[in-house]
Coordinates of all heavy atoms in Angstrom, one line a residue:
M1 N 24.2 22.0 -2.6 CA 23.4 22.2 -3.8 C 23.4 21.0 -4.8 O 24.5 20.4 -4.9 CB 23.9 23.5 -4.5 CG 23.0 24.1 -5.5 SD 21.4 24.6 -4.9 CE 21.7 26.2 -4.4
C2 N 22.3 20.7 -5.3 CA 22.2 19.5 -6.2 C 23.1 19.8 -7.5 O 23.0 20.8 -8.2 CB 20.8 19.3 -6.7 SG 20.7 17.9 -7.8
G3 N 24.0 18.9 -7.7 CA 25.0 19.0 -8.8 C 24.3 18.8 -10.2 O 24.8 19.3 -11.2
A4 N 23.2 18.2 -10.2 CA 22.5 17.9 -11.5 C 21.6 19.1 -12.0 O 21.6 19.4 -13.1 CB 21.7 16.6 -11.4
C5 N 20.9 19.7 -11.0 CA 20.0 20.7 -11.4 C 20.2 22.1 -10.8 O 19.6 23.1 -11.2 CB 18.5 20.3 -11.2 SG 18.2 20.1 -9.4
S6 N 21.0 22.1 -9.7 CA 21.3 23.3 -9.0 C 20.0 24.0 -8.4 O 20.0 25.2 -8.2 CB 22.0 24.3 -9.8 OG 23.2 23.8 -10.3
R7 N 19.0 23.2 -8.2 CA 17.7 23.8 -7.7 C 17.4 23.5 -6.3 O 16.4 24.0 -5.7 CB 16.5 23.4 -8.6 CG 16.5 24.2 -9.9 CD 15.2 23.9 -10.6 NE 15.3 24.0 -12.0 CZ 15.1 23.0 -12.9 NH1 14.6 21.9 -12.4 NH2 15.3 23.1 -14.1
G8 N 18.1 22.5 -5.7 CA 17.7 22.1 -4.3 C 18.9 21.6 -3.6 O 20.0 21.5 -4.2
T9 N 18.7 21.2 -2.4 CA 19.8 20.6 -1.6 C 20.0 19.2 -2.0 O 19.0 18.4 -2.0 CB 19.5 20.7 -0.1 OG1 19.2 22.1 0.2 CG2 20.7 20.3 0.8
E10 N 21.2 18.8 -2.3 CA 21.4 17.4 -2.7 C 21.4 16.4 -1.6 O 22.4 16.1 -1.0 CB 22.7 17.3 -3.5 CG 22.9 16.1 -4.3 CD 24.2 16.0 -5.1 OE1 25.2 16.3 -4.5 OE2 24.2 15.8 -6.3
T11 N 20.2 15.9 -1.2 CA 20.1 14.9 -0.2 C 19.6 13.6 -1.0 O 19.1 13.7 -2.1 CB 19.0 15.3 0.8 OG1 17.8 15.4 0.2 CG2 19.4 16.5 1.5
V12 N 19.6 12.5 -0.2 CA 19.1 11.3 -0.8 C 17.6 11.4 -1.2 O 17.2 11.1 -2.3 CB 19.3 10.1 0.1 CG1 18.7 8.8 -0.4 CG2 20.8 9.8 0.4
A13 N 16.9 12.0 -0.3 CA 15.4 12.2 -0.5 C 15.2 13.1 -1.7 O 14.3 12.8 -2.6 CB 14.7 12.7 0.7
Y14 N 16.0 14.2 -1.8 CA 15.8 15.1 -2.9 C 16.1 14.4 -4.3 O 15.3 14.5 -5.2 CB 16.8 16.3 -2.8 CG 16.7 17.3 -3.9 CD1 15.6 18.2 -3.9 CD2 17.5 17.2 -5.0 CE1 15.5 19.1 -4.9 CE2 17.4 18.1 -6.0 CZ 16.4 19.0 -6.0 OH 16.2 19.9 -7.1
L15 N 17.1 13.6 -4.3 CA 17.5 12.8 -5.5 C 16.4 11.8 -5.9 O 16.1 11.7 -7.0 CB 18.8 12.1 -5.2 CG 19.5 11.3 -6.3 CD1 20.0 12.3 -7.3 CD2 20.6 10.5 -5.8
L16 N 15.8 11.2 -4.9 CA 14.9 10.1 -5.1 C 13.5 10.7 -5.5 O 12.7 10.0 -6.1 CB 14.7 9.2 -3.9 CG 15.9 8.4 -3.5 CD1 15.6 7.7 -2.2 CD2 16.2 7.4 -4.6
I17 N 13.2 11.8 -5.0 CA 11.8 12.3 -5.2 C 11.7 13.6 -6.1 O 10.9 13.7 -7.0 CB 11.2 12.7 -3.8 CG1 11.2 11.5 -2.9 CG2 9.7 13.1 -4.0 CD1 11.0 11.8 -1.4
E18 N 12.6 14.6 -5.8 CA 12.3 15.9 -6.3 C 13.2 16.3 -7.5 O 12.7 17.1 -8.4 CB 12.5 16.9 -5.2 CG 11.5 16.8 -4.1 CD 11.7 17.8 -3.0 OE1 11.6 19.0 -3.3 OE2 12.0 17.4 -1.9
C19 N 14.4 15.8 -7.6 CA 15.3 16.3 -8.7 C 14.7 16.1 -10.0 O 14.5 14.9 -10.4 CB 16.7 15.7 -8.5 SG 17.8 16.5 -9.7
Q20 N 14.4 17.2 -10.8 CA 13.9 17.1 -12.1 C 14.8 16.4 -13.1 O 14.4 15.7 -14.0 CB 13.6 18.5 -12.7 CG 12.6 19.3 -11.8 CD 11.2 18.8 -11.9 OE1 10.7 18.8 -13.0 NE2 10.5 18.5 -10.8
Q21 N 16.1 16.5 -12.8 CA 17.1 15.9 -13.7 C 17.0 14.4 -13.8 O 17.3 13.8 -14.8 CB 18.5 16.3 -13.2 CG 19.6 15.9 -14.0 CD 19.8 16.8 -15.2 OE1 19.4 18.0 -15.2 NE2 20.3 16.3 -16.3
W22 N 16.4 13.8 -12.8 CA 16.4 12.3 -12.7 C 15.0 11.8 -12.8 O 14.7 10.7 -12.5 CB 17.0 11.9 -11.4 CG 18.4 12.3 -11.3 CD1 18.9 13.3 -10.4 CD2 19.6 11.9 -12.1 NE1 20.2 13.5 -10.6 CE2 20.7 12.7 -11.6 CE3 19.7 11.0 -13.1 CZ2 21.9 12.5 -12.2 CZ3 21.0 10.9 -13.6 CH2 22.0 11.6 -13.2
Q23 N 14.1 12.6 -13.4 CA 12.7 12.2 -13.5 C 12.5 10.8 -14.2 O 11.8 10.0 -13.7 CB 11.9 13.2 -14.3 CG 10.6 13.6 -13.6 CD 10.1 14.9 -14.2 OE1 10.5 15.4 -15.2 NE2 9.2 15.5 -13.4
R24 N 13.2 10.6 -15.3 CA 13.1 9.3 -16.0 C 13.6 8.2 -15.2 O 12.9 7.1 -15.1 CB 13.9 9.4 -17.3 CG 13.4 8.5 -18.4 CD 13.8 8.9 -19.8 NE 15.1 9.7 -19.7 CZ 16.2 9.3 -20.2 NH1 16.3 8.1 -20.8 NH2 17.3 10.0 -20.1
E25 N 14.7 8.3 -14.5 CA 15.3 7.3 -13.7 C 14.4 7.1 -12.5 O 14.2 5.9 -12.0 CB 16.7 7.7 -13.2 CG 17.8 7.6 -14.3 CD 17.8 8.8 -15.2 OE1 17.0 9.7 -15.1 OE2 18.6 8.8 -16.2
Q26 N 13.8 8.1 -11.9 CA 12.9 8.0 -10.8 C 11.7 7.1 -11.2 O 11.2 6.3 -10.4 CB 12.4 9.4 -10.3 CG 13.5 10.1 -9.5 CD 13.2 11.6 -9.4 OE1 12.2 12.1 -10.0 NE2 14.0 12.4 -8.8
E27 N 11.1 7.4 -12.4 CA 10.0 6.6 -12.8 C 10.3 5.1 -12.9 O 9.5 4.3 -12.4 CB 9.5 7.1 -14.2 CG 8.6 8.3 -14.1 CD 8.4 9.0 -15.4 OE1 8.4 8.3 -16.5 OE2 8.1 10.2 -15.4
V28 N 11.5 4.8 -13.5 CA 11.9 3.4 -13.6 C 12.1 2.8 -12.2 O 11.7 1.7 -11.9 CB 13.3 3.3 -14.4 CG1 13.8 1.9 -14.3 CG2 13.0 3.8 -15.8
F29 N 12.7 3.6 -11.3 CA 12.9 3.2 -9.9 C 11.6 2.9 -9.2 O 11.5 1.8 -8.6 CB 13.7 4.3 -9.2 CG 13.9 4.1 -7.7 CD1 14.7 3.1 -7.3 CD2 13.4 5.0 -6.8 CE1 15.0 2.9 -6.0 CE2 13.6 4.8 -5.4 CZ 14.4 3.7 -5.0
Y30 N 10.6 3.8 -9.2 CA 9.4 3.5 -8.5 C 8.6 2.4 -9.1 O 7.9 1.6 -8.5 CB 8.6 4.8 -8.4 CG 9.2 5.8 -7.5 CD1 9.7 7.0 -7.9 CD2 9.4 5.4 -6.1 CE1 10.4 7.8 -7.0 CE2 10.0 6.3 -5.2 CZ 10.5 7.5 -5.7 OH 11.2 8.3 -4.9
K31 N 8.7 2.3 -10.5 CA 8.1 1.1 -11.1 C 8.7 -0.2 -10.6 O 8.0 -1.1 -10.3 CB 8.3 1.3 -12.6 CG 7.8 0.1 -13.5 CD 6.3 0.2 -13.8 CE 5.9 -0.8 -14.9 NZ 6.2 -2.2 -14.5
A32 N 10.0 -0.2 -10.5 CA 10.7 -1.4 -10.0 C 10.3 -1.7 -8.6 O 10.0 -2.9 -8.2 CB 12.2 -1.2 -10.1
L33 N 10.1 -0.7 -7.7 CA 9.7 -0.9 -6.3 C 8.3 -1.4 -6.3 O 8.0 -2.4 -5.6 CB 9.7 0.4 -5.5 CG 11.1 1.1 -5.3 CD1 10.9 2.3 -4.4 CD2 12.0 0.1 -4.6
D34 N 7.4 -0.9 -7.2 CA 6.0 -1.4 -7.2 C 6.0 -2.9 -7.7 O 5.3 -3.7 -7.1 CB 5.2 -0.6 -8.2 CG 4.9 0.8 -7.6 OD1 5.0 1.0 -6.4 OD2 4.5 1.7 -8.3
D35 N 6.8 -3.2 -8.7 CA 6.9 -4.6 -9.2 C 7.3 -5.5 -8.1 O 6.9 -6.7 -8.0 CB 7.8 -4.7 -10.4 CG 7.2 -4.0 -11.6 OD1 6.0 -3.6 -11.6 OD2 8.0 -3.8 -12.6
L36 N 8.2 -5.0 -7.2 CA 8.8 -5.9 -6.1 C 7.9 -5.9 -4.9 O 8.1 -6.6 -3.9 CB 10.2 -5.3 -5.7 CG 11.3 -5.5 -6.8 CD1 12.5 -4.7 -6.4 CD2 11.7 -7.0 -6.9
G37 N 6.8 -5.0 -4.9 CA 5.9 -5.0 -3.8 C 6.5 -4.2 -2.6 O 6.1 -4.4 -1.4
V38 N 7.5 -3.3 -2.8 CA 8.0 -2.5 -1.7 C 7.0 -1.4 -1.4 O 6.6 -0.6 -2.2 CB 9.4 -1.9 -2.2 CG1 9.9 -1.0 -1.0 CG2 10.4 -3.0 -2.5
E39 N 6.6 -1.5 -0.1 CA 5.6 -0.5 0.4 C 6.3 0.8 0.7 O 7.4 0.9 1.2 CB 4.9 -1.0 1.6 CG 3.8 -2.0 1.3 CD 3.0 -2.3 2.6 OE1 2.3 -1.4 3.1 OE2 3.2 -3.4 3.1
R40 N 5.5 1.9 0.4 CA 6.0 3.2 0.7 C 5.0 4.0 1.5 O 3.9 4.2 1.1 CB 6.4 4.0 -0.5 CG 7.5 3.3 -1.3 CD 8.0 4.3 -2.4 NE 7.1 4.7 -3.4 CZ 6.7 3.9 -4.4 NH1 7.1 2.7 -4.5 NH2 5.8 4.4 -5.2
L41 N 5.3 4.4 2.7 CA 4.4 5.1 3.6 C 4.5 6.6 3.2 O 5.5 7.0 2.6 CB 4.8 5.0 5.1 CG 4.8 3.6 5.6 CD1 5.5 3.5 7.0 CD2 3.3 3.0 5.7
P42 N 3.4 7.3 3.5 CA 3.5 8.8 3.3 C 4.8 9.4 4.0 O 5.2 8.9 5.0 CB 2.3 9.3 3.9 CG 1.3 8.2 4.0 CD 2.2 7.0 4.2
R43 N 5.4 10.3 3.3 CA 6.7 10.9 3.7 C 6.7 11.4 5.2 O 7.7 11.4 5.8 CB 7.1 12.0 2.8 CG 8.2 11.6 1.8 CD 8.8 12.8 1.2 NE 10.0 13.1 1.9 CZ 10.7 14.3 1.7 NH1 10.2 15.2 0.9 NH2 11.8 14.5 2.3
Q44 N 5.6 11.9 5.6 CA 5.6 12.5 7.0 C 5.9 11.5 8.1 O 6.4 11.8 9.1 CB 4.2 13.1 7.3 CG 3.9 14.4 6.4 CD 3.4 14.0 5.0 OE1 3.4 12.8 4.6 NE2 2.9 15.0 4.3
E45 N 5.5 10.2 7.9 CA 5.6 9.2 8.9 C 7.0 8.7 9.1 O 7.6 8.8 10.2 CB 4.7 8.0 8.6 CG 3.2 8.5 8.7 CD 2.3 7.3 8.4 OE1 2.6 6.2 8.9 OE2 1.3 7.5 7.8
V46 N 7.6 8.3 8.0 CA 9.0 7.8 8.1 C 9.7 8.3 6.8 O 9.1 8.3 5.7 CB 9.1 6.3 8.1 CG1 10.5 5.8 8.3 CG2 8.2 5.7 9.2
A47 N 10.9 8.8 6.9 CA 11.6 9.3 5.8 C 11.7 8.2 4.7 O 12.0 7.1 5.1 CB 13.0 9.8 6.2
L48 N 11.5 8.6 3.5 CA 11.5 7.6 2.4 C 12.8 6.8 2.4 O 12.8 5.6 2.2 CB 11.3 8.3 1.1 CG 11.3 7.4 -0.2 CD1 10.1 6.4 -0.2 CD2 11.3 8.2 -1.5
E49 N 13.9 7.5 2.5 CA 15.2 6.8 2.4 C 15.4 5.8 3.5 O 15.9 4.7 3.3 CB 16.4 7.8 2.3 CG 16.6 8.7 3.6 CD 15.9 10.0 3.4 OE1 14.8 10.1 2.9 OE2 16.5 11.0 3.9
A50 N 14.8 6.1 4.7 CA 14.8 5.1 5.8 C 14.0 3.9 5.5 O 14.4 2.8 5.8 CB 14.4 5.8 7.1
Q51 N 12.8 4.1 4.9 CA 12.0 3.0 4.5 C 12.7 2.1 3.4 O 12.6 0.9 3.5 CB 10.7 3.5 3.8 CG 9.8 4.3 4.7 CD 8.6 4.8 4.0 OE1 8.0 4.2 3.1 NE2 8.2 6.1 4.3
L52 N 13.3 2.8 2.5 CA 13.9 2.0 1.4 C 15.1 1.3 1.9 O 15.4 0.1 1.5 CB 14.4 3.0 0.3 CG 13.2 3.7 -0.4 CD1 13.7 4.6 -1.5 CD2 12.3 2.7 -1.1
L53 N 15.9 1.9 2.8 CA 17.1 1.2 3.3 C 16.7 0.0 4.2 O 17.4 -0.9 4.4 CB 18.0 2.2 4.1 CG 18.7 3.2 3.2 CD1 19.4 4.3 4.0 CD2 19.6 2.6 2.2
A54 N 15.5 0.1 4.8 CA 15.0 -1.0 5.7 C 14.5 -2.2 4.9 O 14.3 -3.3 5.5 CB 13.9 -0.4 6.6
D55 N 14.2 -2.0 3.6 CA 13.6 -3.1 2.8 C 14.7 -3.7 1.9 O 15.1 -3.0 1.0 CB 12.4 -2.6 2.0 CG 11.6 -3.7 1.4 OD1 12.2 -4.7 1.1 OD2 10.4 -3.6 1.4
P56 N 15.1 -4.9 2.1 CA 16.2 -5.4 1.3 C 15.8 -5.5 -0.2 O 16.7 -5.4 -1.1 CB 16.4 -6.8 1.9 CG 15.5 -7.0 2.9 CD 14.7 -5.8 3.2
R57 N 14.5 -5.6 -0.5 CA 14.1 -5.7 -1.9 C 14.4 -4.4 -2.6 O 14.5 -4.4 -3.9 CB 12.6 -6.0 -2.0 CG 12.3 -7.5 -1.6 CD 10.8 -7.7 -1.5 NE 10.2 -6.7 -0.6 CZ 8.9 -6.7 -0.3 NH1 8.1 -7.5 -0.9 NH2 8.4 -5.8 0.6
A58 N 14.4 -3.3 -1.9 CA 14.6 -2.0 -2.5 C 16.1 -1.8 -2.9 O 16.4 -0.8 -3.6 CB 14.1 -0.9 -1.6
A59 N 17.0 -2.6 -2.3 CA 18.4 -2.3 -2.5 C 18.9 -2.3 -3.9 O 19.6 -1.4 -4.4 CB 19.2 -3.4 -1.7
K60 N 18.4 -3.3 -4.7 CA 18.9 -3.4 -6.1 C 18.4 -2.2 -6.9 O 19.3 -1.6 -7.6 CB 18.4 -4.7 -6.7 CG 19.3 -5.3 -7.7 CD 18.9 -6.7 -8.1 CE 19.6 -7.1 -9.4 NZ 19.2 -8.4 -9.8
P61 N 17.1 -1.8 -6.9 CA 16.7 -0.6 -7.7 C 17.4 0.6 -7.2 O 17.7 1.5 -8.0 CB 15.2 -0.5 -7.5 CG 14.8 -1.8 -6.9 CD 15.9 -2.6 -6.4
L62 N 17.6 0.7 -5.9 CA 18.2 1.9 -5.3 C 19.7 2.0 -5.8 O 20.1 3.1 -6.2 CB 18.2 1.8 -3.8 CG 18.5 3.0 -2.9 CD1 17.7 4.2 -3.3 CD2 18.4 2.7 -1.5
L63 N 20.4 0.9 -5.8 CA 21.8 0.9 -6.2 C 21.9 1.2 -7.7 O 22.8 1.9 -8.1 CB 22.5 -0.4 -5.9 CG 22.7 -0.7 -4.4 CD1 23.2 -2.1 -4.2 CD2 23.7 0.3 -3.9
K64 N 20.9 0.8 -8.4 CA 20.9 1.0 -9.9 C 20.7 2.5 -10.1 O 21.5 3.1 -10.9 CB 19.7 0.3 -10.5 CG 19.8 0.3 -12.0 CD 18.6 -0.5 -12.7 CE 18.5 -0.1 -14.1 NZ 17.2 -0.6 -14.7
L65 N 19.8 3.1 -9.4 CA 19.6 4.6 -9.5 C 20.8 5.4 -9.1 O 21.2 6.3 -9.8 CB 18.4 5.0 -8.7 CG 18.0 6.5 -8.7 CD1 17.6 6.9 -10.1 CD2 16.9 6.8 -7.7
I66 N 21.4 5.0 -8.0 CA 22.6 5.7 -7.5 C 23.7 5.5 -8.6 O 24.5 6.4 -8.9 CB 23.0 5.1 -6.2 CG1 22.0 5.5 -5.1 CG2 24.4 5.6 -5.8 CD1 22.2 4.8 -3.8
G67 N 23.9 4.3 -9.1 CA 24.9 4.1 -10.2 C 24.7 5.0 -11.4 O 25.7 5.5 -11.9
Q68 N 23.4 5.1 -11.8 CA 23.1 6.0 -12.9 C 23.5 7.4 -12.6 O 24.1 8.1 -13.5 CB 21.6 5.9 -13.3 CG 21.3 4.6 -13.9 CD 19.8 4.4 -14.0 OE1 19.0 4.9 -13.2 NE2 19.3 3.7 -15.1
V69 N 23.2 7.9 -11.4 CA 23.5 9.3 -11.0 C 25.0 9.5 -11.0 O 25.5 10.4 -11.5 CB 22.9 9.6 -9.6 CG1 23.4 10.9 -9.1 CG2 21.4 9.6 -9.7
Q70 N 25.7 8.5 -10.4 CA 27.2 8.6 -10.3 C 27.8 8.6 -11.7 O 28.7 9.4 -12.0 CB 27.8 7.5 -9.5 CG 27.6 7.8 -8.0 CD 28.2 6.7 -7.1 OE1 28.4 5.5 -7.5 NE2 28.6 7.0 -5.9
A71 N 27.3 7.7 -12.6 CA 27.9 7.6 -13.9 C 27.7 9.0 -14.6 O 28.6 9.5 -15.3 CB 27.2 6.5 -14.7
C72 N 26.6 9.6 -14.4 CA 26.3 10.9 -15.0 C 27.2 12.0 -14.5 O 27.7 12.8 -15.2 CB 24.8 11.3 -14.9 SG 24.4 12.8 -15.6
E73 N 27.4 11.9 -13.2 CA 28.3 12.9 -12.5 C 29.7 12.8 -13.0 O 30.4 13.8 -13.2 CB 28.2 12.8 -11.0 CG 26.9 13.5 -10.5 CD 26.7 13.4 -9.0 OE1 27.5 12.7 -8.3 OE2 25.7 13.9 -8.5
I74 N 30.2 11.5 -13.2 CA 31.5 11.3 -13.7 C 31.6 11.8 -15.1 O 32.6 12.5 -15.4 CB 31.9 9.8 -13.6 CG1 32.0 9.4 -12.1 CG2 33.1 9.5 -14.3 CD1 32.0 7.9 -11.8
D75 N 30.6 11.6 -15.9 CA 30.6 12.1 -17.3 C 30.7 13.6 -17.3 O 31.4 14.2 -18.1 CB 29.3 11.7 -18.0 CG 29.3 10.3 -18.4 OD1 30.4 9.6 -18.3 OD2 28.2 9.8 -18.9
Q76 N 29.9 14.3 -16.4 CA 29.9 15.7 -16.3 C 31.2 16.3 -15.9 O 31.7 17.3 -16.4 CB 28.8 16.2 -15.3 CG 27.4 16.1 -15.9 CD 26.3 16.4 -14.8 OE1 26.6 16.4 -13.6 NE2 25.1 16.5 -15.3
Q77 N 31.9 15.6 -14.9 CA 33.2 16.0 -14.5 C 34.2 15.9 -15.6 O 35.1 16.7 -15.8 CB 33.6 15.2 -13.2 CG 33.0 15.7 -12.0 CD 33.0 14.7 -10.8 OE1 33.8 13.7 -10.9 NE2 32.3 14.9 -9.8
A78 N 34.1 14.8 -16.3 CA 35.0 14.5 -17.5 C 34.9 15.6 -18.5 O 35.8 16.1 -19.1 CB 34.8 13.1 -18.0
A79 N 33.6 16.0 -18.8 CA 33.3 17.0 -19.8 C 33.8 18.3 -19.3 O 34.4 19.1 -20.1 CB 31.8 17.1 -20.0
E80 N 33.6 18.6 -18.0 CA 34.1 19.8 -17.4 C 35.7 19.9 -17.6 O 36.2 21.0 -17.9 CB 33.7 19.9 -16.0 CG 34.1 21.1 -15.2 CD 33.3 22.3 -15.6 OE1 32.2 22.2 -16.2 OE2 33.8 23.5 -15.4
A81 N 36.3 18.8 -17.2 CA 37.8 18.8 -17.3 C 38.3 19.0 -18.8 O 39.2 19.7 -19.0 CB 38.3 17.4 -16.8
A82 N 37.5 18.4 -19.7 CA 37.9 18.5 -21.1 C 37.7 20.0 -21.6 O 38.5 20.5 -22.3 CB 37.0 17.6 -22.0
R83 N 36.6 20.6 -21.1 CA 36.4 22.0 -21.4 C 37.6 22.9 -20.9 O 38.0 23.8 -21.6 CB 35.1 22.5 -20.8 CG 33.9 22.4 -21.8 CD 32.8 23.3 -21.4 NE 32.3 23.0 -20.0 CZ 31.4 22.1 -19.7 NH1 30.9 21.3 -20.7 NH2 31.1 21.8 -18.5
R84 N 38.0 22.6 -19.7 CA 39.0 23.4 -19.1 C 40.3 23.2 -19.8 O 41.1 24.2 -20.0 CB 39.2 23.0 -17.6 CG 38.3 23.8 -16.7 CD 38.7 23.7 -15.3 NE 38.9 22.4 -14.8 CZ 37.9 21.8 -14.1 NH1 36.7 22.4 -13.9 NH2 38.0 20.5 -13.7
S85 N 40.6 22.0 -20.3 CA 41.9 21.7 -20.9 C 41.9 22.3 -22.4 O 43.0 22.4 -23.0 CB 42.2 20.2 -20.9 OG 41.3 19.5 -21.7
D86 N 40.7 22.6 -22.9 CA 40.7 23.2 -24.3 C 41.2 24.7 -24.3 O 41.6 25.2 -25.3 CB 39.2 23.3 -24.8 CG 38.8 21.9 -25.2 OD1 39.6 21.0 -25.4 OD2 37.6 21.7 -25.4
W87 N 41.2 25.3 -23.1 CA 41.7 26.7 -23.0 C 43.1 26.9 -23.5 O 44.0 26.1 -23.1 CB 41.5 27.3 -21.6 CG 40.0 27.6 -21.4 CD1 39.0 26.7 -21.1 CD2 39.4 28.9 -21.6 NE1 37.8 27.4 -21.0 CE2 38.0 28.7 -21.3 CE3 39.8 30.2 -22.0 CZ2 37.1 29.7 -21.4 CZ3 38.9 31.2 -22.0 CH2 37.6 31.0 -21.8
Ligands
ZN1 ZN1 18.8 18.1 -8.9

Protein backbone atom coordinates (compact mmCIF):
# COMPACT_ATOMS: atom_id res chain seq x y z
CA MET A 1 0.00 0.00 0.00
CA CYS A 2 1.24 3.49 -0.86
CA GLY A 3 2.70 5.07 2.27
CA ALA A 4 1.88 8.59 1.09
CA CYS A 5 -1.81 8.31 0.20
CA SER A 6 -2.89 4.75 1.14
CA ARG A 7 -4.94 4.63 -2.07
CA GLY A 8 -2.95 2.29 -4.28
CA THR A 9 -0.16 -0.22 -4.50
CA GLU A 10 3.19 1.47 -3.99
CA THR A 11 5.03 0.65 -7.21
CA VAL A 12 7.45 2.83 -9.15
CA ALA A 13 4.82 3.39 -11.84
CA TYR A 14 2.19 4.29 -9.25
CA LEU A 15 4.52 6.80 -7.67
CA LEU A 16 5.49 8.33 -11.02
CA ILE A 17 2.02 8.56 -12.52
CA GLU A 18 -0.85 8.06 -10.16
CA CYS A 19 -0.10 8.99 -6.57
CA GLN A 20 -2.01 12.20 -5.82
CA GLN A 21 0.34 12.98 -2.96
CA TRP A 22 3.17 13.65 -5.41
CA GLN A 23 1.25 15.61 -8.05
CA ARG A 24 3.42 18.71 -7.74
CA GLU A 25 6.65 16.70 -7.87
CA GLN A 26 5.30 14.71 -10.85
CA GLU A 27 4.62 17.92 -12.77
CA VAL A 28 8.17 19.14 -12.15
CA PHE A 29 9.47 15.69 -13.11
CA TYR A 30 7.61 15.49 -16.43
CA LYS A 31 8.50 19.09 -17.25
CA ALA A 32 12.17 18.18 -16.70
CA LEU A 33 11.80 15.12 -18.97
CA ASP A 34 10.20 17.25 -21.69
CA ASP A 35 12.96 19.85 -21.39
CA LEU A 36 15.54 17.07 -21.79
CA GLY A 37 13.69 15.59 -24.76
CA VAL A 38 13.10 12.25 -23.05
CA GLU A 39 10.49 10.40 -25.11
CA ARG A 40 7.64 8.57 -23.46
CA LEU A 41 5.68 5.92 -25.31
CA PRO A 42 2.12 5.09 -24.39
CA ARG A 43 2.09 2.94 -21.26
CA GLN A 44 0.67 -0.14 -22.99
CA GLU A 45 3.75 -0.65 -25.14
CA VAL A 46 6.55 -0.49 -22.63
CA ALA A 47 6.25 0.15 -18.91
CA LEU A 48 7.07 3.77 -18.12
CA GLU A 49 9.66 2.89 -15.50
CA ALA A 50 11.46 0.67 -18.04
CA GLN A 51 11.53 3.53 -20.55
CA LEU A 52 12.86 5.93 -17.96
CA LEU A 53 15.54 3.56 -16.71
CA ALA A 54 16.64 2.96 -20.31
CA ASP A 55 17.23 6.68 -20.96
CA PRO A 56 20.27 8.08 -19.14
CA ARG A 57 18.87 11.62 -19.44
CA ALA A 58 15.95 10.61 -17.25
CA ALA A 59 18.21 9.50 -14.39
CA LYS A 60 18.72 12.90 -12.81
CA PRO A 61 15.05 13.99 -12.66
CA LEU A 62 14.11 10.47 -11.56
CA LEU A 63 16.63 10.49 -8.71
CA LYS A 64 15.44 13.94 -7.69
CA LEU A 65 11.84 12.76 -7.47
CA ILE A 66 12.86 9.64 -5.53
CA GLY A 67 14.93 11.81 -3.18
CA GLN A 68 11.94 14.06 -2.51
CA VAL A 69 9.72 11.06 -1.79
CA GLN A 70 12.30 9.52 0.54
CA ALA A 71 12.89 12.80 2.37
CA CYS A 72 9.15 13.08 2.92
CA GLU A 73 8.86 9.50 4.16
CA ILE A 74 11.73 10.05 6.59
CA ASP A 75 9.96 13.21 7.84
CA GLN A 76 6.73 11.24 8.28
CA GLN A 77 8.54 8.49 10.18
CA ALA A 78 10.22 11.06 12.43
CA ALA A 79 6.87 12.75 13.08
CA GLU A 80 5.32 9.37 13.83
CA ALA A 81 8.14 8.50 16.24
CA ALA A 82 7.76 11.89 17.94
CA ARG A 83 4.01 11.34 18.32
CA ARG A 84 4.61 7.94 19.89
CA SER A 85 7.20 9.27 22.32
CA ASP A 86 4.74 11.97 23.51
CA TRP A 87 2.55 9.32 25.13
ZN1 LIG B 1 0.26 7.41 -2.95
